Structure formats: C-alpha cells, structure tokens
Amino acid sequence: MANFATLGFEFRLPFSAPPKEASSFLSSSSTTIAPPPPRQQWCPGGGGGGRRRRSECRLWQCLERSLQSYKKVGYQEGLRAAQAKNSNAGAREEEEEAGEEESGEKECEKRVFMFGMGYTCIALANTLQKQNWIVSGTCRSDEKVAGLQSRGFQAFHFNPDNDGENLKSLYAATHVLSSIPPVGDFNEDPVLQIHKQELVQAAAQGKLRWIGYLSSTGVYGDWSGNWVDEDSVPQPTENRAIARLKAENAWLQVAQLTGVAVHIFRLGGIYGPGRSALDTVLRQQHPRSGQQKLRDAHRFTSRVHVADICQVLTKAMEHHCISVFRRIFNVVDDDPMPRSTVMAFARTLLHKTGIKEASLESSAEVGASDGLKSKEDSGREVPEKRVSNKRIKEELQVELLYPSFTSGLQAIFEGVHNPFD
C-alpha cells in the first residue's frame, strides 16, 4: 500500500483496488492521495492485466481528476507536490495553471469609473493609480480632460449624448463612483437621469461590483448641536440638502435594481492641500459673501481631510466590504469645531511665515465680526449638529490620518501634499 502526503493530510489508497473502489475513496472525507504507479507497472483495472502506460491507467485518471478538484478550491501547493512526481505531467499542469492565473488576473482587474473628477475624485484617482487601478471618468471642460489625460487617466466630457468611449469605459468598470451633486436643471440626480440604464446594463454583464455616491452631512439638517449618526433620521430644510437626500435614495434603489452593492458617503467640509483655512486666510482681503458669513455663525462644523476621504473610499471598495449590500457612512474627523476656531489656528500658523501682520489682522477682524452673527442677525436658520464617525472606524477599520483640523492644517502648513504627491 502506497502513501503520499499532500498538504499535510493523509489518505491511503491501495493500488490493487478496482476503479469503483478508488472513486469511493476519492469521495470520502480523507484528503491525501497515493502516488501513481511507476511508468511501466501492472495497472489494476486495465481489462487484460497487461502492462500499460500511466496515462492510460483509469485509476491514475481518477487521481488526476481529484487533484484538479483540489486545484479549484485552492490547494496549489498540494497540486505542485503531486506534479513533482512526474516532470512531463508537471510541465503540462504548470502551463495550464499559468493560463488559469492569467485569466484570473484579468477577471480581478480593478477598474473604476468616476462621474465628476473634481478635487476629491482626483485625489482618489492618484491614490488608486498607485495601487494599479485603471482610472477613468468625466469632467466638464477640454482643459480638464487634457490635464487628466496627461496624468494617465482616461477622461471624457460629461454630457447627455450617451456616446462612445466613455460608455465603453463604464461598461468595463468594476467600480463606479459619482460625486456630481443634483444641481442646475436636473430634477433628479444627473448621473442617474442620463446613465441609469447604462449602469443597469453594466451590472447585468457581471463586471460591476460596487457603486459609491458622495453626499453631504447637510442632509441631517438641524439637530440643535446634538450628535447624529447614520441611523439618525435626516431632516433637511435647505433645497440643496433636500435634493441630496433624494439623490441618496435614488442611488440606494439602484442597489435594489441591480444587486450591486451601493455605499453612500456623507462628507463633512472637505479641506486639503490648496483648499484649506490657510488658503482662505491668505485670500481674505475683501468683504465676504452672505454664505461665508452664515458659515461663521456655526458653533459646530464637521470637516474631513481629503486624504482621509480617500482612505475611507479605498477601504469600502475592497472586496471584503462588497458583502454590505446598502450602507451609509459619515466621513468626518473627530473634532467638530466652529469655523472661527479653525481660522484662528490657521492665522497662528501663518504668523510663523513672516506674512505681513496687516493681512492677518484684516482677516482676523472679518472673522471676528462675522463669526458673532446669530440666527436672528442673519435672518436665516443655522443648522447645528455634530456628526459621529464611529461606523467608518468599526466597520471599515479606518484610522484617521488627520483626526483633528489641527493635525490636518499643520501637515499642509509643513508642505505635506498627501494625496496629491
């Protein structure tokens, strides 16, 4: 009785057993297979009992089929050990395995299509490109198309024509992300109004595995400064926030329609390199708009560094999260603070650079006077809430790179360009 160890398990098969008994052995719970007989040896089950080549032996064919079944469930090491017993057979199997691995790589190729490649999506595109993703998406001008193409991205105009190359890239995508807000003449989400059918078709082809939509914490409305999480019932009052909530629901319905996982990301105020309180202070030489003044009336403002947005999106796009069919995530840092506090910290940092004192004092005076505006003074309601980020930490295992505006602004001040480097 021969014995051969595969993967550390043991299964003994007597070569004197007829093929039917061999099949019953192979279907048992044991998992180690005996080696084949020598190249020229009496082979049972051969009919006449004469000498036969191993490849003609029915028992060996049973063993080969069993090894193939092990291969399908991932026991490559055991397969290679069995193949090592015969160099010719091993060479043939290695060629087949290489072909299957190459096919598997093509099937697992990661392609993302982004609707609206603005500040946040470009940051994400940079991040994914370093991880060998193929990135394509839409923007609104020839200049932006050229700029994105120069960085190695496939860029197209966003338009209602449903033509050509952009749809080809959309159909090839494994992941789709939309950052386009429901604005302008659209009565619903503009991407769904134009490309909903194409998304359904892409899902039907079987490649599309994940859809993401970038929304806003503004959908929560006013909670009088209390904490909210993803289970809190949104109560928006502003038209933009109402439209955002309507768009969220439309995207979640796409999950129901296609069977593809859809994740909604409610982002706080986005800042990062080139778009932060530091830049605002340096530009703040003139009277500000009413909307800017209204923002200064907030006691709490939830914000998030763009690098942390990229981190959250990347983790959500990973395969282990696809099993979550429909999910909403708040994407904010740990420190909801008044805008005036953030601006004061930015001015403190800029004092170190030797910028003229008059410029900083001017911006400080504007921030101080406008930051004291109350709801009654402005004539408009100021929605107040503090937004929890507990879910991204627990479900996506996110550790924020910049948990507070202080660490985020300090990094920008020191020249850290993540994720645009």
Side-chain angles (χ1 to χ4, degrees), residues 243-306:
R244 281 280 195 187
L245 184 60
K246 182 180 177 182
E248 285 186 8
N249 292 329
W251 280 104
L252 292 174
Q253 290 173 7
V254 171
Q256 197 82 18
L257 185 63
T258 63
V260 174
V262 173
H263 293 168
I264 306 296
F265 302 92
R266 292 173 176 168
L267 309 182
I270 304 168
Y271 75 98
R275 184 179 292 187
S276 72
L278 297 168
D279 303 277
T280 302
V281 168
L282 292 175
R283 291 194 305 265
Q284 216 167 62
Q285 304 286 326
H286 307 287
R288 292 177 298 166
S289 66
Q291 184 65 31
Q292 288 174 321
K293 294 177 181 178
L294 186 62
R295 287 202 302 268
D296 274 341
H298 288 212
R299 290 178 296 152
F300 305 105
T301 300
S302 296
R303 57 186 57 79
V304 61
H305 194 289
V306 67

Side-chain angles (χ1 to χ4, degrees), residues 110-118 121-122 124-126 128-129 132-139 144-145 148-149 151-158 164-179 208 317:
K110 297 178 290 187
R111 293 175 173 267
V112 60
F113 190 96
M114 301 180 182
F115 287 102
M117 293 189 71
C121 280
I122 290 175
L124 178 63
N126 286 341
L128 295 177
Q129 191 179 55
N132 299 318
W133 284 68
I134 298 174
V135 180
S136 57
T138 68
C139 54
K144 288 184 178 179
V145 167
L148 291 170
Q149 290 176 345
R151 300 186 187 189
F153 307 129
Q154 300 173 4
F156 314 97
H157 280 111
F158 179 75
E165 293 299 322
N166 59 330
L167 291 185
K168 183 178 179 181
S169 296
L170 177 59
Y171 289 138
T174 57
H175 298 67
V176 169
L177 178 68
S178 176
S179 68
L208 184 59
M317 294 166 72

Side-chain angles (χ1 to χ4, degrees), residues 388-402:
S388 169
N389 59 15
K390 184 178 180 180
R391 180 172 289 180
I392 61 171
K393 294 179 178 180
E394 292 183 348
E395 296 187 9
L396 300 180
Q397 288 79 54
V398 169
E399 294 184 10
L400 294 174
L401 300 172
Y402 307 105

Side-chain angles (χ1 to χ4, degrees), residues 74-105:
Y75 296 111
Q76 274 84 0
E77 291 184 5
L79 181 63
R80 282 193 289 271
Q83 291 166 347
K85 291 295 180 179
N86 184 277
S87 59
N88 293 332
R92 288 195 298 270
E93 293 291 347
E94 286 175 4
E95 290 177 2
E96 293 176 5
E97 186 175 340
E100 290 181 3
E101 287 179 356
E102 182 179 354
S103 175
E105 288 176 2

Side-chain angles (χ1 to χ4, degrees), residues 6 26 33 60-76 78-80 82-83 89-98 100:
T6 302
L26 290 172
I33 300 175
W60 174 243
Q61 291 171 355
C62 291
L63 295 175
E64 284 188 320
R65 284 197 296 270
S66 179
L67 287 172
Q68 290 296 327
S69 70
Y70 284 144
K71 181 180 179 181
K72 291 179 181 178
V73 296
Y75 296 111
Q76 274 84 0
L79 181 63
R80 282 193 289 271
Q83 291 166 347
R92 288 195 298 270
E93 293 291 347
E94 286 175 4
E95 290 177 2
E96 293 176 5
E97 186 175 340
E100 290 181 3

Side-chain angles (χ1 to χ4, degrees), residues 167-350:
L167 291 185
K168 183 178 179 181
S169 296
L170 177 59
Y171 289 138
T174 57
H175 298 67
V176 169
L177 178 68
S178 176
S179 68
I180 300 179
V183 295
D185 298 329
F186 293 96
N187 295 321
E188 57 181 284
D189 182 90
V191 173
L192 293 181
Q193 187 169 336
I194 297 172
H195 290 299
K196 183 176 182 178
Q197 189 58 40
E198 284 72 27
L199 287 169
V200 172
Q201 292 175 3
Q205 292 177 2
K207 290 185 178 181
L208 184 59
R209 303 197 297 269
W210 180 91
I211 296 173
Y213 175 66
L214 303 187
S215 184
S216 166
T217 56
V219 299
Y220 288 113
D222 183 24
W223 284 74
S224 301
N226 293 316
W227 286 94
V228 296
D229 60 22
E230 293 85 349
D231 295 324
S232 301
V233 179
Q235 45 193 28
T237 55
E238 297 180 348
N239 290 335
R240 289 192 302 174
I242 293 171
R244 281 280 195 187
L245 184 60
K246 182 180 177 182
E248 285 186 8
N249 292 329
W251 280 104
L252 292 174
Q253 290 173 7
V254 171
Q256 197 82 18
L257 185 63
T258 63
V260 174
V262 173
H263 293 168
I264 306 296
F265 302 92
R266 292 173 176 168
L267 309 182
I270 304 168
Y271 75 98
R275 184 179 292 187
S276 72
L278 297 168
D279 303 277
T280 302
V281 168
L282 292 175
R283 291 194 305 265
Q284 216 167 62
Q285 304 286 326
H286 307 287
R288 292 177 298 166
S289 66
Q291 184 65 31
Q292 288 174 321
K293 294 177 181 178
L294 186 62
R295 287 202 302 268
D296 274 341
H298 288 212
R299 290 178 296 152
F300 305 105
T301 300
S302 296
R303 57 186 57 79
V304 61
H305 194 289
V306 67
D308 280 319
I309 298 176
C310 294
Q311 181 187 184
V312 170
L313 293 174
T314 301
K315 286 183 176 291
M317 294 166 72
E318 291 175 354
H319 64 87
H320 64 81
C321 295
I322 300 301
S323 60
V324 183
F325 186 52
R326 296 189 296 180
R327 205 63 168 155
I328 296 173
F329 297 98
N330 292 333
V331 187
V332 296
D333 66 19
D334 298 336
D335 197 9
M337 294 293 290
R339 186 172 183 267
S340 57
T341 302
V342 178
M343 301 298 285
F345 182 73
R347 287 191 294 271
T348 300
L349 291 176
L350 290 172

